[in-house]
Amino acid sequence: MMKKVLVTGASGFLGRATVLALLKAGHQVTAMVRPVSKGGFDEHENLSIIRGDLRQLGEWADEVGFHDVVIHGAALTSGDLAEQIATTVVGTANLFDALKASPVTRLVHISSFSVYDYEAAVSKNLLTEETPLERRTSDRDAYTEVKLYQEQMARDFTRDQSIDLVVIRPGAIIGPDRLWDYGLGRASKHVGIVFGSDSRFRLTYIENCADAIALSVTAPCAGSITVNVIDSDLPTYAEYYEMCRSAGADVPRRIVPIPFAVMRALVWPLEAVNKLKFSSTLRLPESMHRFRQQARWSDIECPNDGARRLLGWTPKFSAREAVVASLAIELNATSKRLR
């Protein structure tokens, strides 16, 4: 069934792929992009563009309500807490204000795996939609704190407006120019370090993720559902590095693998020294910070049963196919720049 769908953050990494997946599925799509963005979309009979900045109310606010479904993917992924609040939280509040009393019947909110409490996940060796959300936001980062707040805003808004809500929580999204440093934590010209070398990389390929989001537009939903989007047969970080190297990535041929158990063992003395000598004020790197290293490198079972059951989704591309396709695009772009 064709729907009129608005996509915020449409010129971003995931937003652009989502727009293309929606068009392929036969929907009528409005892509909302920043005023200065080139958009980068080819002309399509079912595609229109709205230019606007969610941080500031403007003409865009009069146009966004004329849709059946809104996919809200606009968010700042870096910067300090103040920057992320000024962009992500303010933008979300403005969008929801503009959507009040509109004919929109469903909001698809793009959240993140970062919202989970990984201490709880590690204790059960399982991460699902039922895993508790992070409570110690100060022990993580600004992105985690803001995504938690943004998700709660979406729940409050849809409840107050009595419309359906689909929360999509993707794992680490990989694709062209976003291959997460090929699995390397540190690297020199000749040697690379692979943190959590024996842990599975909780990834989803950009096209697999966009397909899941497109399916969420028409998936059965009575009220609210939450869905983790993560690919099947996840590689370990060491395997992922090798996939990238064999596909042509410019990486060191030698690596030093550091299993997660070793990383975890090193954390305790560092935390003790930080507490005793520096009153816990020393900012430890992510790899040596207990809660942040758990969030990125702990090895946890992450089934995608929910997305399969609730969305009818099956990831089309394997991790190896995703890496090969992504690097082919990167290498081709590099070749063109060098000509």
Side-chain angles (χ1 to χ4, degrees):
M1 179 186 299
M2 187 272 287
K3 297 285 186 180
K4 294 179 65 177
V5 185
L6 170 74
V7 180
T8 70
S11 59
F13 180 62
L14 180 57
R16 176 176 169 75
T18 298
V19 168
L20 297 178
L22 289 165
L23 291 172
K24 187 176 180 180
H27 297 293
Q28 186 174 335
V29 184
T30 301
M32 185 171 179
V33 302
R34 291 279 187 90
V36 296
S37 172
K38 295 180 180 179
F41 296 105
D42 295 331
E43 288 189 11
H44 192 288
E45 60 181 357
N46 286 336
L47 176 64
S48 58
I49 305 291
I50 292 178
R51 294 189 180 277
D53 188 336
L54 287 177
R55 296 172 298 179
Q56 302 171 349
L57 291 174
E59 293 181 4
W60 64 265
D62 298 323
E63 302 180 61
V64 296
F66 299 101
H67 298 84
D68 303 310
V69 179
V70 172
I71 298 176
H72 184 34
L76 192 66
T77 58
S78 60
D80 62 23
L81 183 59
E83 290 176 295
Q84 295 200 40
I85 289 175
T87 299
T88 301
V89 175
V90 171
T92 298
N94 286 339
L95 174 67
F96 290 169
D97 280 344
L99 291 175
K100 287 179 179 177
S102 74
V104 169
T105 59
R106 176 173 297 190
L107 173 70
V108 178
H109 176 68
I110 310 303
S111 185
S112 167
F113 259 37
S114 70
V115 300
Y116 285 116
D117 179 349
Y118 282 87
E119 189 94 324
V122 168
S123 69
K124 293 188 175 182
N125 189 33
L126 182 67
L127 191 151
T128 72
E129 293 84 352
E130 304 303 318
T131 298
L133 301 184
E134 184 61 85
R135 295 164 297 168
R136 300 175 300 268
T137 54
S138 61
D139 289 324
R140 295 282 297 282
D141 53 29
Y143 182 72
T144 296
E145 188 166 354
V146 168
K147 290 305 287 184
L148 280 163
Y149 188 72
Q150 187 191 32
E151 186 174 314
Q152 187 57 53
M153 291 173 71
R155 294 187 185 282
D156 293 342
F157 170 75
T158 53
R159 183 190 62 244
D160 293 343
Q161 298 297 307
S162 299
I163 64 176
D164 292 338
L165 171 66
V166 180
V167 175
I168 300 289
R169 293 175 181 159
I173 304 173
I174 68 169
D177 297 317
R178 192 172 294 192
L179 286 169
W180 293 76
D181 297 320
Y182 312 118
L184 294 169
R186 297 282 188 275
S188 66
K189 184 176 180 180
H190 300 292
V191 181
I193 297 175
V194 177
F195 293 130
S197 55
D198 56 344
S199 298
R200 283 160 290 188
F201 184 14
R202 297 183 289 270
L203 63 82
T204 181
Y205 179 42
I206 182 72
E207 293 194 30
N208 291 339
C209 187
D211 285 345
I213 296 170
L215 286 168
S216 72
V217 167
T218 55
C221 174
S224 172
I225 60 173
T226 300
V227 180
N228 289 345
V229 175
I230 188 166
D231 289 357
S232 305
D233 302 322
L234 302 176
T236 65
Y237 276 92
E239 291 169 341
Y240 178 73
Y241 159 82
E242 183 55 35
M243 287 178 186
C244 294
R245 190 195 67 78
S246 62
D250 184 15
V251 294
R253 297 188 68 87
R254 294 177 54 201
I255 63 167
V256 177
I258 302 181
F260 181 70
V262 174
M263 297 174 66
R264 197 173 189 182
L266 291 172
V267 159
W268 300 106
L270 281 175
E271 284 191 342
V273 170
N274 191 16
K275 183 177 181 179
L276 293 172
K277 296 290 186 180
F278 301 97
S279 301
S280 298
T281 59
L282 187 64
R283 186 169 179 81
L284 298 172
E286 183 182 30
S287 60
M288 291 293 107
H289 187 289
R290 177 159 47 110
F291 298 111
R292 292 174 191 160
Q293 76 168 207
Q294 281 181 340
R296 182 163 180 183
W297 289 289
S298 57
D299 190 26
I300 310 169
E301 290 286 343
C302 297
N304 54 21
D305 300 349
R308 291 174 180 272
R309 184 180 71 257
L310 297 173
L311 304 182
W313 173 76
T314 301
K316 294 178 182 177
F317 300 94
S318 69
R320 187 173 299 278
E321 291 169 329
V323 167
V324 169
S326 298
L327 275 167
I329 293 171
E330 288 185 15
L331 295 172
N332 184 53
T334 300
S335 176
K336 287 183 178 179
R337 287 197 299 268
L338 294 176
R339 288 174 187 170

